[in-house]
Amino acid sequence: MQRLLSKKQNEKAEELIENIKIENSWKSVLNDEFYKTYLIELIDKVKKAYKSETVYPAGNKIFNAFNFCSFENTRVVIIGQDPYHGPGQANGLCFSVNEGINMPPSLINIFKEIRSDLKKDFPENGNLERWAKQGILLLNSVLTVKTKSPGSHKDFGWEIFTDAIIENISLKKDKVVFLLWGAYAQKKGKIIDRTKHFILSSSHPSPFSAYNGFFGNQHFSKTNNYLKKNGLKEIDW
């Protein structure tokens, strides 16, 4: 992607950097990305969508994954697809739902595998902020969605942005655990440097595929074993 060249576009990029509600370490890491035409166009599309239709998550939660988990603290990355598209569900973290919202089937299956793997009880709710605060980047590939329309914002440019995030983590950090569930996440994870990071792949936790390799993958204990082996704090799943 070319950097913005016109004075007006550069001013727009600088305004975006100043006003975007994303944690400062990510703002620094992604600084060059803000000067690319696709991101300016993406933000314009997102703003128009929020004005003309019902979009999830709430605007102030679009970048929650980064605001709860700084670049420095990131030690595990889980890659999802796009936000939940039902009322009150999406909170900016992949697979996570707000407190008081019924857990979707994929999230239930994640907790089933944790119970099997680590003998932990089901949590009281499906809000995964507690994971994010421990250094888990819960990254959806697409960060917004129109109500009741899964995949509706997949052509906005979000996937280019989230590829840049994965690439920056891969290049600038070491010993990060990437959990790639399903073909979509695995394809997106091809840019990860596997000589520096620990990659765990399996089928998706969806009811349509969980029995094809997600159940029994032991990704949660394997993640903690890797972190412990490398002198890093384990995750309280």
Side-chain angles (χ1 to χ4, degrees):
M1 293 286 175
Q2 293 182 343
R3 290 176 67 88
L4 300 174
L5 299 176
S6 74
K7 182 179 178 181
K8 183 177 180 180
Q9 288 173 320
N10 274 287
E11 288 174 353
K12 203 166 187 179
E14 288 166 6
E15 182 182 352
L16 174 60
I17 292 169
E18 184 177 348
N19 295 325
I20 194 168
K21 306 300 183 185
I22 190 169
E23 193 270 338
N24 283 334
S25 66
W26 289 106
K27 191 178 287 191
S28 176
V29 166
L30 297 168
N31 183 73
D32 287 351
E33 216 62 23
F34 294 110
Y35 288 92
K36 295 179 179 178
T37 53
Y38 87 87
L39 191 56
I40 299 297
E41 293 167 358
L42 163 62
I43 297 302
D44 283 343
K45 289 175 187 174
V46 170
K47 287 179 177 178
K48 288 176 183 175
Y50 273 90
K51 288 178 181 178
S52 63
E53 59 196 31
T54 302
V55 177
Y56 303 123
N60 62 354
K61 294 185 176 181
I62 294 174
F63 297 106
N64 256 5
F66 313 99
N67 293 332
F68 280 109
C69 178
S70 69
F71 180 78
E72 289 86 356
N73 290 341
T74 298
R75 52 204 175 102
V76 178
V77 179
I78 300 177
I79 299 176
Q81 200 153 349
D82 63 349
Y84 295 122
H85 53 87
Q89 290 181 304
N91 62 8
L93 310 174
C94 74
F95 293 105
S96 174
V97 291
N98 288 309
E99 294 176 25
I101 299 295
N102 290 335
M103 295 183 196
S106 292
L107 185 56
I108 290 173
N109 286 340
I110 289 169
F111 289 132
K112 283 182 178 178
E113 177 56 25
I114 291 172
R115 181 175 62 188
S116 172
D117 187 17
L118 299 174
K119 308 299 184 276
K120 287 180 68 76
D121 293 334
F122 263 55
E124 293 181 359
N125 61 73
N127 190 335
L128 301 182
E129 288 178 10
R130 58 187 180 274
W131 288 8
K133 290 174 181 177
Q134 295 180 72
I136 302 179
L137 182 66
L138 294 160
L139 180 66
N140 272 318
S141 177
V142 176
L143 301 188
T144 57
V145 68
K146 180 181 177 180
T147 182
K148 301 179 182 178
S149 301
S152 50
H153 289 183
K154 67 180 180 63
D155 296 323
F156 275 26
W158 279 126
E159 289 167 301
I160 304 171
F161 180 68
T162 51
D163 276 350
I165 289 159
I166 294 168
E167 188 171 22
N168 271 283
I169 294 170
S170 179
L171 288 171
K172 297 175 182 177
K173 293 183 71 72
D174 294 296
K175 298 180 175 62
V176 175
V177 182
F178 288 85
L179 303 184
L180 307 180
W181 298 332
Y184 180 90
Q186 289 159 28
K187 182 179 179 182
K188 197 165 181 70
K190 286 183 178 179
I191 58 177
I192 301 165
D193 185 345
R194 292 166 186 259
T195 67
K196 295 172 60 183
H197 304 289
F198 187 45
I199 314 296
L200 290 169
S201 301
S202 77
S203 63
H204 193 275
S206 161
F208 299 106
S209 57
Y211 286 96
N212 294 327
F214 180 81
F215 287 139
N217 67 18
Q218 297 182 322
H219 280 186
F220 306 98
S221 60
K222 289 175 181 177
T223 294
N224 277 350
N225 289 340
Y226 178 83
L227 293 172
K228 185 177 180 181
K229 183 177 73 174
N230 288 282
L232 300 168
K233 189 177 180 181
E234 297 173 61
I235 301 295
D236 180 6
W237 299 101

